[in-house]
Coordinates of all heavy atoms in Angstrom, one line a residue:
G1293 N 16.1 16.4 -3.0 CA 15.4 16.0 -4.1 C 14.7 17.1 -4.8 O 14.6 18.2 -4.3
S1294 N 14.3 16.9 -6.0 CA 13.6 17.9 -6.8 C 12.3 17.3 -7.4 O 12.0 16.1 -7.2 CB 14.5 18.4 -7.9 OG 14.6 17.5 -8.9
E1295 N 11.6 18.2 -8.0 CA 10.4 17.7 -8.7 C 10.7 16.8 -9.8 O 9.8 16.0 -10.2 CB 9.6 19.0 -9.2 CG 9.2 19.9 -8.1 CD 9.1 21.3 -8.7 OE1 8.1 21.6 -9.4 OE2 9.9 22.2 -8.3
H1296 N 11.9 16.8 -10.4 CA 12.2 16.0 -11.6 C 13.2 14.9 -11.3 O 13.4 14.1 -12.2 CB 12.8 17.0 -12.6 CG 11.9 18.1 -12.9 ND1 10.6 18.0 -13.5 CD2 12.0 19.4 -12.6 CE1 10.1 19.2 -13.6 NE2 10.9 20.1 -13.0
A1297 N 13.8 14.8 -10.1 CA 14.8 13.8 -9.8 C 14.4 13.1 -8.6 O 14.7 13.5 -7.5 CB 16.2 14.4 -9.7
P1298 N 13.7 12.0 -8.7 CA 13.2 11.2 -7.5 C 14.4 10.6 -6.7 O 15.5 10.3 -7.3 CB 12.3 10.2 -8.1 CG 12.9 9.9 -9.4 CD 13.4 11.2 -9.9
L1299 N 14.2 10.3 -5.5 CA 15.0 9.4 -4.7 C 14.4 8.1 -4.6 O 13.2 8.0 -4.4 CB 15.2 10.0 -3.3 CG 15.8 11.4 -3.2 CD1 15.9 11.9 -1.7 CD2 17.2 11.4 -3.8
R1300 N 15.2 7.0 -4.8 CA 14.6 5.7 -4.9 C 15.4 4.7 -4.1 O 16.6 4.9 -3.9 CB 14.7 5.2 -6.4 CG 13.8 6.0 -7.3 CD 14.0 5.5 -8.7 NE 13.0 6.1 -9.6 CZ 13.1 6.2 -10.9 NH1 14.1 5.5 -11.5 NH2 12.2 6.8 -11.6
D1301 N 14.7 3.7 -3.6 CA 15.4 2.6 -2.8 C 14.5 1.3 -3.0 O 13.4 1.4 -3.4 CB 15.5 3.0 -1.4 CG 16.7 2.3 -0.7 OD1 17.3 1.3 -1.3 OD2 17.0 2.7 0.5
G1302 N 15.1 0.2 -2.6 CA 14.4 -1.0 -2.6 C 14.6 -1.8 -1.3 O 15.6 -1.6 -0.6
L1303 N 13.7 -2.7 -1.0 CA 13.8 -3.5 0.2 C 13.4 -4.9 -0.2 O 12.4 -5.1 -0.9 CB 12.8 -2.9 1.2 CG 12.6 -3.7 2.5 CD1 13.8 -3.7 3.3 CD2 11.4 -3.2 3.2
R1304 N 14.1 -5.9 0.3 CA 13.8 -7.3 0.1 C 13.1 -7.8 1.3 O 13.7 -7.9 2.4 CB 15.0 -8.1 -0.2 CG 14.7 -9.5 -0.6 CD 15.9 -10.3 -1.0 NE 15.6 -11.6 -1.6 CZ 15.5 -12.7 -0.9 NH1 15.6 -12.7 0.4 NH2 15.1 -13.8 -1.5
L1305 N 11.8 -8.1 1.1 CA 11.0 -8.6 2.3 C 11.2 -10.1 2.5 O 11.2 -10.9 1.5 CB 9.5 -8.4 2.0 CG 9.0 -7.0 2.1 CD1 7.5 -7.0 1.8 CD2 9.2 -6.5 3.5
P1306 N 11.4 -10.6 3.7 CA 11.6 -12.0 4.0 C 10.2 -12.7 3.9 O 9.2 -12.1 4.0 CB 12.2 -12.0 5.4 CG 11.7 -10.7 6.0 CD 11.6 -9.7 4.9
A1307 N 10.3 -14.0 3.7 CA 9.1 -14.9 3.8 C 8.5 -14.7 5.1 O 9.1 -14.5 6.1 CB 9.5 -16.3 3.5
G1308 N 7.1 -14.8 5.2 CA 6.4 -14.7 6.4 C 6.0 -13.3 6.8 O 5.4 -13.1 7.8
T1309 N 6.4 -12.3 6.0 CA 6.0 -10.9 6.2 C 4.5 -10.8 5.9 O 4.1 -11.1 4.8 CB 6.8 -9.9 5.4 OG1 8.2 -10.1 5.7 CG2 6.4 -8.5 5.7
S1310 N 3.7 -10.2 6.8 CA 2.3 -10.1 6.6 C 1.9 -8.7 6.2 O 0.9 -8.5 5.5 CB 1.5 -10.5 7.8 OG 1.8 -9.7 8.9
Q1311 N 2.7 -7.7 6.6 CA 2.3 -6.3 6.3 C 3.6 -5.5 6.2 O 4.5 -5.7 7.0 CB 1.4 -5.7 7.3 CG 0.9 -4.3 7.0 CD -0.2 -3.9 8.0 OE1 -0.9 -4.7 8.5 NE2 -0.2 -2.6 8.3
L1312 N 3.6 -4.5 5.4 CA 4.8 -3.6 5.2 C 4.2 -2.1 5.2 O 3.2 -1.9 4.6 CB 5.5 -3.8 3.9 CG 6.6 -2.8 3.5 CD1 7.7 -2.8 4.5 CD2 7.1 -3.1 2.1
R1313 N 4.9 -1.3 5.9 CA 4.5 0.2 6.0 C 5.7 1.0 5.8 O 6.7 0.9 6.4 CB 3.8 0.5 7.3 CG 3.4 1.9 7.4 CD 2.6 2.1 8.7 NE 2.2 3.5 9.0 CZ 1.1 4.0 8.5 NH1 0.3 3.3 7.8 NH2 0.8 5.3 8.8
F1314 N 5.6 1.9 4.8 CA 6.7 2.9 4.5 C 6.1 4.2 5.1 O 5.0 4.6 4.9 CB 6.9 3.1 3.0 CG 7.7 2.0 2.4 CD1 7.1 1.2 1.5 CD2 9.1 1.9 2.7 CE1 7.9 0.2 0.9 CE2 9.8 0.8 2.1 CZ 9.2 0.0 1.2
E1315 N 7.0 5.0 5.8 CA 6.6 6.3 6.3 C 7.7 7.3 6.0 O 8.9 6.9 6.2 CB 6.4 6.2 7.8 CG 5.3 5.3 8.3 CD 5.2 5.2 9.8 OE1 6.2 5.6 10.5 OE2 4.2 4.6 10.3
S1316 N 7.4 8.4 5.6 CA 8.4 9.5 5.4 C 8.1 10.7 6.3 O 6.9 10.9 6.7 CB 8.4 10.0 3.9 OG 7.2 10.6 3.6
S1317 N 9.1 11.4 6.8 CA 8.9 12.4 7.7 C 10.1 13.4 7.7 O 11.2 13.0 7.2 CB 8.7 11.9 9.1 OG 9.8 11.2 9.6
G1318 N 9.9 14.5 8.3 CA 11.0 15.5 8.6 C 11.4 16.2 7.3 O 10.8 16.1 6.3
G1319 N 12.5 17.0 7.5 CA 13.0 17.8 6.4 C 12.1 19.0 6.0 O 11.2 19.4 6.7
S1320 N 12.4 19.5 4.8 CA 11.7 20.6 4.3 C 11.1 20.3 2.9 O 11.6 19.4 2.2 CB 12.6 21.9 4.3 OG 13.7 21.6 3.4
G1321 N 10.2 21.2 2.5 CA 9.6 21.0 1.1 C 8.4 20.1 1.2 O 7.8 19.9 2.2
N1322 N 8.2 19.4 0.0 CA 7.0 18.5 -0.1 C 7.3 17.4 -1.0 O 7.3 17.5 -2.2 CB 5.8 19.3 -0.6 CG 4.5 18.5 -0.7 OD1 4.5 17.3 -0.3 ND2 3.5 19.1 -1.1
A1323 N 7.6 16.2 -0.4 CA 7.9 15.0 -1.1 C 6.8 14.0 -1.0 O 6.2 13.8 0.1 CB 9.2 14.3 -0.5
D1324 N 6.3 13.4 -2.1 CA 5.3 12.4 -2.1 C 5.9 11.0 -2.2 O 6.9 10.8 -2.8 CB 4.4 12.6 -3.3 CG 3.6 14.0 -3.2 OD1 3.4 14.5 -2.1 OD2 3.3 14.5 -4.3
L1325 N 5.3 10.0 -1.6 CA 5.8 8.7 -1.4 C 5.0 7.7 -2.4 O 3.8 7.7 -2.4 CB 5.6 8.3 0.0 CG 6.2 6.9 0.5 CD1 7.7 6.9 0.4 CD2 5.8 6.7 1.9
Y1326 N 5.8 7.0 -3.1 CA 5.2 6.0 -4.0 C 5.9 4.6 -3.8 O 7.1 4.6 -3.5 CB 5.5 6.4 -5.5 CG 4.9 7.6 -6.0 CD1 5.4 8.9 -5.6 CD2 3.8 7.6 -6.8 CE1 4.8 10.1 -6.0 CE2 3.2 8.8 -7.2 CZ 3.7 10.0 -6.8 OH 3.1 11.2 -7.2
A1327 N 5.1 3.5 -3.9 CA 5.7 2.2 -3.7 C 5.1 1.2 -4.7 O 4.0 1.4 -5.2 CB 5.5 1.7 -2.3
S1328 N 5.9 0.2 -5.0 CA 5.4 -0.8 -6.0 C 6.2 -2.1 -5.7 O 7.3 -2.1 -5.3 CB 5.6 -0.4 -7.4 OG 5.2 -1.4 -8.3
T1329 N 5.5 -3.3 -6.0 CA 6.2 -4.6 -6.0 C 6.6 -5.0 -7.4 O 7.2 -6.1 -7.5 CB 5.3 -5.6 -5.3 OG1 4.1 -5.7 -6.1 CG2 4.9 -5.3 -3.9
R1330 N 6.2 -4.2 -8.4 CA 6.4 -4.6 -9.8 C 7.6 -4.0 -10.4 O 7.9 -4.3 -11.6 CB 5.2 -4.2 -10.6 CG 3.9 -4.9 -10.1 CD 2.7 -4.5 -10.9 NE 1.5 -5.0 -10.3 CZ 0.4 -4.4 -10.2 NH1 0.3 -3.1 -10.7 NH2 -0.7 -4.9 -9.7
G1331 N 8.3 -3.1 -9.8 CA 9.4 -2.4 -10.3 C 9.5 -1.0 -9.7 O 8.7 -0.7 -8.8
W1332 N 10.4 -0.2 -10.2 CA 10.5 1.1 -9.6 C 9.2 1.9 -9.7 O 8.6 2.0 -10.8 CB 11.6 1.9 -10.4 CG 13.0 1.4 -10.1 CD1 13.8 0.9 -10.9 CD2 13.6 1.4 -8.8 NE1 15.0 0.5 -10.3 CE2 14.9 0.8 -9.0 CE3 13.2 1.8 -7.5 CZ2 15.8 0.6 -7.9 CZ3 14.1 1.6 -6.5 CH2 15.3 1.0 -6.7
A1333 N 8.8 2.4 -8.6 CA 7.5 3.2 -8.5 C 7.8 4.6 -9.1 O 8.8 5.3 -8.7 CB 7.1 3.3 -7.0
T1334 N 6.9 5.0 -10.0 CA 7.0 6.3 -10.6 C 5.7 7.0 -10.5 O 4.7 6.4 -10.1 CB 7.4 6.2 -12.1 OG1 6.3 5.6 -12.8 CG2 8.6 5.4 -12.4
R1335 N 5.7 8.3 -10.9 CA 4.4 9.0 -10.8 C 3.4 8.4 -11.7 O 2.2 8.5 -11.5 CB 4.6 10.5 -11.2 CG 5.3 11.3 -10.2 CD 5.5 12.7 -10.7 NE 5.9 13.6 -9.6 CZ 6.6 14.6 -9.7 NH1 7.1 15.0 -10.9 NH2 7.0 15.4 -8.7
E1336 N 3.8 7.7 -12.8 CA 2.9 7.2 -13.8 C 2.6 5.7 -13.5 O 1.6 5.2 -14.0 CB 3.5 7.3 -15.2 CG 3.6 8.7 -15.7 CD 4.9 9.4 -15.1 OE1 5.8 8.7 -14.8 OE2 4.8 10.7 -15.0
S1337 N 3.5 5.0 -12.8 CA 3.3 3.6 -12.6 C 3.6 3.2 -11.1 O 4.8 3.2 -10.7 CB 4.3 2.8 -13.5 OG 4.2 1.4 -13.3
Y1338 N 2.6 3.0 -10.3 CA 2.8 2.7 -8.9 C 1.6 1.9 -8.4 O 0.5 1.9 -9.1 CB 2.9 4.0 -8.1 CG 1.8 4.9 -8.2 CD1 0.7 4.7 -7.3 CD2 1.7 5.9 -9.1 CE1 -0.4 5.6 -7.4 CE2 0.6 6.7 -9.2 CZ -0.5 6.5 -8.3 OH -1.6 7.3 -8.5
Q1339 N 1.7 1.2 -7.3 CA 0.6 0.5 -6.7 C 0.1 1.2 -5.5 O -1.1 1.1 -5.1 CB 1.0 -0.9 -6.3 CG 1.3 -1.8 -7.5 CD 1.9 -3.1 -7.0 OE1 3.1 -3.1 -6.8 NE2 1.1 -4.1 -6.9
Y1340 N 1.0 2.0 -4.8 CA 0.6 2.7 -3.6 C 1.2 4.1 -3.6 O 2.3 4.3 -4.1 CB 1.2 1.9 -2.4 CG 0.9 0.5 -2.4 CD1 1.7 -0.5 -3.0 CD2 -0.3 0.0 -1.8 CE1 1.4 -1.8 -3.0 CE2 -0.6 -1.3 -1.8 CZ 0.2 -2.2 -2.4 OH -0.1 -3.6 -2.4
R1341 N 0.4 5.0 -3.1 CA 0.8 6.4 -3.2 C 0.3 7.2 -2.0 O -0.8 7.0 -1.5 CB 0.3 7.1 -4.4 CG 0.6 8.5 -4.6 CD 0.0 9.1 -5.8 NE 0.2 10.5 -5.9 CZ -0.8 11.4 -6.1 NH1 -2.0 11.0 -6.2 NH2 -0.5 12.7 -6.2
S1342 N 1.1 8.1 -1.5 CA 0.6 9.1 -0.4 C 1.1 10.4 -0.9 O 2.3 10.6 -1.1 CB 1.2 8.7 0.9 OG 0.8 9.6 1.9
A1343 N 0.2 11.4 -1.0 CA 0.6 12.7 -1.5 C -0.1 13.8 -0.7 O -0.8 14.6 -1.1 CB 0.2 12.8 -3.0
N1344 N 0.2 13.8 0.6 CA -0.3 14.8 1.5 C 0.6 16.1 1.4 O 1.7 16.0 0.8 CB -0.2 14.3 3.0 CG -1.1 13.1 3.2 OD1 -2.2 13.0 2.7 ND2 -0.5 12.1 3.9
A1345 N 0.1 17.2 2.0 CA 1.0 18.4 2.1 C 2.1 18.1 3.0 O 1.9 17.4 4.0 CB 0.1 19.5 2.5
G1346 N 3.3 18.6 2.7 CA 4.4 18.4 3.6 C 5.1 17.0 3.3 O 4.8 16.3 2.3
N1347 N 5.8 16.5 4.3 CA 6.6 15.3 4.2 C 6.1 14.1 5.0 O 6.7 13.1 5.1 CB 8.1 15.5 4.4 CG 8.7 16.4 3.4 OD1 8.3 16.4 2.2 ND2 9.6 17.3 3.8
G1348 N 4.9 14.3 5.7 CA 4.4 13.2 6.5 C 3.5 12.3 5.7 O 2.3 12.5 5.6
E1349 N 4.2 11.3 5.0 CA 3.5 10.4 4.1 C 3.6 9.0 4.7 O 4.5 8.6 5.4 CB 4.2 10.4 2.7 CG 4.4 11.8 2.1 CD 3.1 12.4 1.7 OE1 2.0 11.8 1.7 OE2 3.1 13.6 1.3
A1350 N 2.6 8.1 4.3 CA 2.7 6.7 4.7 C 1.9 5.9 3.7 O 0.8 6.3 3.2 CB 2.1 6.5 6.1
V1351 N 2.4 4.7 3.4 CA 1.7 3.7 2.6 C 1.8 2.4 3.3 O 2.9 2.0 3.8 CB 2.2 3.6 1.1 CG1 1.9 4.9 0.4 CG2 3.6 3.2 1.0
T1352 N 0.7 1.6 3.3 CA 0.7 0.3 3.9 C 0.4 -0.7 2.8 O -0.6 -0.6 2.1 CB -0.4 0.2 5.0 OG1 0.0 1.2 6.0 CG2 -0.4 -1.1 5.7
I1353 N 1.2 -1.8 2.8 CA 1.0 -2.9 1.9 C 0.5 -4.1 2.7 O 1.3 -4.7 3.5 CB 2.3 -3.2 1.1 CG1 2.7 -2.0 0.3 CG2 2.0 -4.4 0.2 CD1 4.1 -2.2 -0.3
S1354 N -0.8 -4.3 2.7 CA -1.3 -5.5 3.4 C -1.1 -6.8 2.6 O -1.0 -6.7 1.4 CB -2.8 -5.3 3.6 OG -3.1 -4.1 4.3
Q1355 N -1.0 -7.9 3.3 CA -0.7 -9.2 2.6 C 0.5 -9.1 1.8 O 0.5 -9.6 0.6 CB -2.0 -9.6 1.8 CG -3.2 -9.8 2.7 CD -4.4 -10.1 1.9 OE1 -4.5 -10.0 0.7 NE2 -5.4 -10.6 2.6
A1356 N 1.6 -8.5 2.3 CA 2.8 -8.4 1.6 C 3.4 -9.7 1.3 O 3.3 -10.6 2.2 CB 3.8 -7.5 2.4
Q1357 N 4.0 -9.9 0.2 CA 4.6 -11.2 -0.2 C 6.2 -11.0 -0.2 O 6.7 -9.9 -0.3 CB 4.2 -11.5 -1.7 CG 2.7 -11.6 -1.9 CD 2.2 -12.8 -1.2 OE1 2.7 -13.9 -1.2 NE2 1.0 -12.6 -0.5
A1358 N 6.8 -12.1 0.1 CA 8.3 -12.1 0.1 C 8.8 -11.6 -1.3 O 8.2 -11.9 -2.3 CB 8.8 -13.5 0.4
G1359 N 9.9 -10.9 -1.3 CA 10.4 -10.4 -2.6 C 10.7 -8.9 -2.4 O 10.8 -8.4 -1.3
Y1360 N 11.0 -8.3 -3.6 CA 11.4 -6.9 -3.6 C 10.2 -5.9 -3.6 O 9.2 -6.2 -4.3 CB 12.3 -6.6 -4.7 CG 13.7 -7.2 -4.5 CD1 14.0 -8.4 -5.0 CD2 14.7 -6.5 -3.8 CE1 15.3 -9.0 -4.8 CE2 15.9 -7.0 -3.6 CZ 16.2 -8.3 -4.1 OH 17.5 -8.8 -3.9
V1361 N 10.4 -4.8 -2.8 CA 9.4 -3.7 -2.9 C 10.3 -2.5 -3.1 O 11.3 -2.3 -2.6 CB 8.7 -3.6 -1.5 CG1 7.7 -2.4 -1.6 CG2 8.0 -4.9 -1.2
Y1362 N 9.8 -1.6 -4.0 CA 10.5 -0.4 -4.4 C 9.7 0.8 -4.0 O 8.5 0.9 -4.1 CB 10.6 -0.4 -6.0 CG 11.2 -1.7 -6.5 CD1 10.5 -2.8 -6.8 CD2 12.6 -1.8 -6.6 CE1 11.0 -4.0 -7.3 CE2 13.2 -2.9 -7.1 CZ 12.4 -4.0 -7.4 OH 13.0 -5.2 -7.9
V1363 N 10.5 1.8 -3.4 CA 9.9 3.0 -2.9 C 10.6 4.2 -3.5 O 11.8 4.1 -3.8 CB 10.0 3.0 -1.4 CG1 11.4 3.0 -0.9 CG2 9.2 4.2 -0.8
S1364 N 9.8 5.2 -3.8 CA 10.4 6.4 -4.5 C 9.8 7.7 -3.8 O 8.6 7.6 -3.4 CB 10.0 6.5 -5.9 OG 10.5 5.4 -6.6
L1365 N 10.6 8.7 -3.7 CA 10.1 10.0 -3.2 C 10.2 10.9 -4.4 O 11.3 11.1 -5.0 CB 11.0 10.6 -2.1 CG 10.8 10.0 -0.7 CD1 11.9 10.7 0.2 CD2 9.4 10.3 -0.2
Y1366 N 9.1 11.6 -4.8 CA 9.0 12.6 -5.8 C 8.6 13.9 -5.2 O 7.7 13.9 -4.3 CB 8.0 12.2 -6.9 CG 8.5 11.2 -7.9 CD1 8.3 9.9 -7.6 CD2 9.0 11.6 -9.1 CE1 8.7 8.9 -8.6 CE2 9.4 10.7 -10.0 CZ 9.3 9.3 -9.8 OH 9.7 8.4 -10.7
G1367 N 9.3 14.9 -5.6 CA 9.0 16.3 -5.0 C 7.8 16.9 -5.7 O 7.7 17.1 -6.9
A1368 N 6.7 17.2 -4.9 CA 5.7 18.1 -5.4 C 6.3 19.5 -5.5 O 5.9 20.3 -6.4 CB 4.5 18.1 -4.4
T1369 N 7.3 19.8 -4.6 CA 8.2 20.9 -4.7 C 9.5 20.4 -4.3 O 9.6 19.2 -3.9 CB 7.8 22.0 -3.7 OG1 7.8 21.5 -2.4 CG2 6.3 22.5 -4.0
A1370 N 10.6 21.2 -4.4 CA 11.9 20.7 -4.0 C 11.8 20.3 -2.5 O 11.1 20.9 -1.7 CB 12.9 21.8 -4.2
F1371 N 12.7 19.3 -2.1 CA 12.7 18.9 -0.7 C 14.1 18.5 -0.3 O 14.9 18.2 -1.2 CB 11.7 17.7 -0.5 CG 12.1 16.4 -1.3 CD1 12.8 15.4 -0.7 CD2 11.7 16.3 -2.6 CE1 13.1 14.3 -1.4 CE2 12.0 15.1 -3.3 CZ 12.8 14.1 -2.7
S1372 N 14.3 18.4 1.0 CA 15.6 18.0 1.5 C 15.4 17.5 2.9 O 14.5 17.8 3.6 CB 16.6 19.1 1.5 OG 16.2 20.1 2.4
G1373 N 16.3 16.6 3.4 CA 16.3 16.1 4.7 C 15.2 15.2 5.1 O 14.9 14.9 6.3
V1374 N 14.5 14.6 4.1 CA 13.3 13.7 4.4 C 13.9 12.3 4.7 O 14.8 11.8 4.1 CB 12.4 13.6 3.2 CG1 11.2 12.7 3.5 CG2 11.9 15.0 2.8
R1375 N 13.3 11.7 5.8 CA 13.6 10.4 6.2 C 12.5 9.4 5.8 O 11.3 9.7 5.8 CB 13.8 10.3 7.7 CG 15.0 11.1 8.2 CD 15.1 11.0 9.7 NE 13.9 11.5 10.4 CZ 13.7 12.7 10.8 NH1 14.7 13.6 10.5 NH2 12.6 13.1 11.3
V1376 N 12.9 8.2 5.3 CA 12.0 7.1 5.0 C 12.3 5.9 5.9 O 13.4 5.5 6.0 CB 12.0 6.8 3.5 CG1 11.1 5.6 3.2 CG2 11.7 8.0 2.6
A1377 N 11.2 5.4 6.5 CA 11.4 4.2 7.4 C 10.5 3.1 6.8 O 9.4 3.4 6.3 CB 11.0 4.5 8.8
A1378 N 10.9 1.9 6.9 CA 10.1 0.7 6.6 C 9.9 -0.1 7.8 O 10.8 -0.4 8.6 CB 10.8 -0.1 5.5
R1379 N 8.6 -0.5 8.0 CA 8.3 -1.3 9.2 C 7.5 -2.5 8.7 O 6.6 -2.4 8.0 CB 7.4 -0.5 10.2 CG 8.1 0.8 10.6 CD 7.2 1.5 11.6 NE 7.5 2.9 11.8 CZ 8.7 3.3 12.4 NH1 9.6 2.5 12.7 NH2 8.9 4.6 12.5
Y1380 N 8.0 -3.7 9.2 CA 7.3 -4.9 8.9 C 7.4 -5.9 10.0 O 8.1 -5.7 10.9 CB 7.7 -5.5 7.5 CG 9.2 -5.9 7.4 CD1 9.7 -7.1 7.8 CD2 10.1 -4.9 7.0 CE1 11.0 -7.4 7.7 CE2 11.5 -5.2 6.9 CZ 11.9 -6.5 7.2 OH 13.2 -6.8 7.2

């Protein structure tokens, strides 16, 4: 990924989910993690954000509702090999 071309994905949460956590790790560079239940998460429009140095990012959505959640990785610098996991 680059600073200008985010990587995006979506997840459909089943009914009865109480909490969702996205975590990114590994790779090189510096990717920031953004998430939203309202549509694609961008740098300008998001509900949850983690912007630490490196690729060890995490966001937790408490009281998650059934439906779609959107996650994006934006590069603070160019990045590669970053993994994103969702736990619920």
Side-chain angles (χ1 to χ4, degrees):
S1294 74
E1295 300 155 68
H1296 307 291
L1299 298 178
R1300 296 178 174 162
D1301 205 350
L1303 173 70
R1304 186 171 189 273
L1305 284 180
T1309 301
S1310 61
Q1311 183 173 331
L1312 169 65
R1313 182 174 174 88
F1314 286 110
E1315 298 174 346
S1316 65
S1317 63
S1320 61
N1322 184 359
D1324 297 334
L1325 184 65
Y1326 295 78
S1328 177
T1329 60
R1330 299 178 186 142
W1332 289 117
T1334 69
R1335 285 180 169 150
E1336 295 78 27
S1337 177
Y1338 61 88
Q1339 291 170 278
Y1340 308 92
R1341 174 182 179 234
S1342 179
N1344 299 315
N1347 295 325
E1349 309 290 350
V1351 296
T1352 300
I1353 302 172
S1354 301
Q1355 300 176 345
Q1357 302 293 315
Y1360 287 95
V1361 181
Y1362 305 90
V1363 63
S1364 302
L1365 283 176
Y1366 280 88
T1369 63
F1371 64 95
S1372 66
V1374 180
R1375 293 179 300 270
V1376 177
R1379 303 182 198 293
Y1380 58 92

